[in-house]
Amino acid sequence: DTGVSQDPRHKITKRGQNVTFRCDPISEHNRLYWYRQTLGQGPEFLTYFQNEAQLEKSRLLSDRFSAERPKGSFSTLEIQRTEQGDSAMYLCASSLAQGVDTEAFFGQGTRLTVV
Amino acid sequence: ILNVEQSPQSLHVQEGDSTNFTCSFPSSNFYALHWYRWETAKSPEALFVMTLNGDEKKKGRISATLNTKEGYSYLYIKGSQPEDSATYLCALMNRDDKIIFGKGTRLHILP
């Protein structure tokens, strides 16, 4: 297994368009996280999953954002009607929940630019 | 509310010098604290997962301490090298495995 992979690595879209990103976690990992990172900030929590169940979605997220993990493996993050403020790096991470020693493994991110 | 504060935001250190930075978090309901290193154009990588009050962990020239009662952790780098230039992220994990990050400390090693 080569780790967490995200696709695409870069996306440029026009304002108002919909975009979808994909994350493939490490195969046996049951937790999957999505974060957004903008310049000068740390990763901002968006949502996370236990297998296919979405456990929590950040209250900061508008209804334009939705995430799924239909079979408990890969996940998609969709942004509808993109706005310039959505430009950011979108990071995915996965972990195997096993108590306090759990660490998360990150993908390289999808950089979104909304023009 | 999980609120993680890191200081300083940015740090310039001469090669060969030692340095340290701070992560502060609410001490109530503590479960685990993570340190990650994030190099430009790469993925964040875990350095340490810390859970016990008084814990001290070490990896090469990098070490970290944890005080869960007062809600802080220090990351130390001894004898800084150019390859240490990165953003160092602190993250708090709760009992539901939700992980919340601080804003990071951007470390620049000057040759």
Side-chain angles (χ1 to χ4, degrees):
Chain A
D1 187 68
T2 56
V4 179
S5 63
Q6 293 187 242
D7 182 69
R9 294 285 306 278
H10 303 273
K11 178 72 177 178
I12 300 175
T13 191
K14 290 184 178 179
R15 191 172 49 188
Q17 297 293 305
N18 299 344
V19 293
T20 300
F21 311 141
R22 177 179 170 124
C23 172
D24 286 272
I26 293 172
S27 58
E28 68 270 23
H29 284 186
N30 49 5
R31 299 271 193 209
L32 188 146
Y33 304 81
W34 283 101
Y35 294 89
R36 175 173 63 190
Q37 190 258 343
T38 53
L39 196 63
Q41 303 296 313
E44 175 192 14
F45 172 80
L46 296 180
T47 188
Y48 77 131
F49 293 83
Q50 162 80 9
N51 299 315
E52 66 275 9
Q54 188 172 22
L55 298 181
E56 185 175 334
K57 178 179 172 180
S58 170
R59 282 172 282 177
L60 298 173
L61 276 190
S62 75
D63 292 341
R64 297 184 297 107
F65 287 74
S66 62
E68 292 183 339
R69 195 183 182 196
K71 297 181 181 178
S73 55
F74 74 91
S75 176
T76 57
L77 177 69
E78 182 183 15
I79 309 174
Q80 296 182 325
R81 304 180 303 283
T82 52
E83 302 172 357
Q84 286 190 316
D86 298 331
S87 295
M89 173 75 84
Y90 290 83
L91 290 165
C92 175
S94 71
S95 70
L96 180 62
Q98 51 184 12
V100 294
D101 292 324
T102 299
E103 69 175 80
F105 294 82
F106 280 83
Q108 291 193 290
T110 294
R111 182 166 294 283
L112 173 67
T113 303
V114 181
V115 297
Chain B
I1 296 176
L2 297 178
N3 191 30
V4 180
E5 302 285 342
Q6 291 189 247
S7 64
Q9 277 192 325
S10 181
L11 192 55
H12 291 77
V13 174
Q14 201 68 42
E15 182 178 349
D17 287 352
S18 296
T19 187
N20 64 85
F21 22 94
T22 307
C23 173
S24 303
F25 53 86
S27 54
S28 59
N29 299 317
F30 174 84
Y31 193 63
L33 186 105
H34 298 191
W35 281 102
Y36 289 82
R37 177 168 61 197
W38 194 2
E39 298 178 65
T40 304
K42 294 186 178 180
S43 314
E45 287 187 348
L47 287 172
F48 306 112
V49 176
M50 307 182 78
T51 57
L52 299 175
N53 184 45
D55 233 359
E56 181 170 345
K57 295 206 171 181
K58 189 174 180 182
K59 187 181 290 188
R61 294 178 292 98
I62 304 176
S63 61
T65 60
L66 178 66
N67 184 323
T68 60
K69 293 185 178 179
E70 296 182 37
Y72 64 84
S73 174
Y74 293 136
L75 189 81
Y76 300 89
I77 302 178
K78 186 177 177 183
S80 303
Q81 299 297 307
E83 60 265 29
D84 297 330
S85 294
T87 295
Y88 291 83
L89 296 166
C90 173
L92 198 64
M93 188 171 81
N94 71 5
R95 291 183 184 277
D96 297 322
D97 288 350
K98 179 179 176 181
I99 302 175
I100 297 296
F101 285 85
K103 292 184 178 181
T105 292
R106 278 159 288 286
L107 177 64
H108 308 271
I109 305 301
L110 307 171

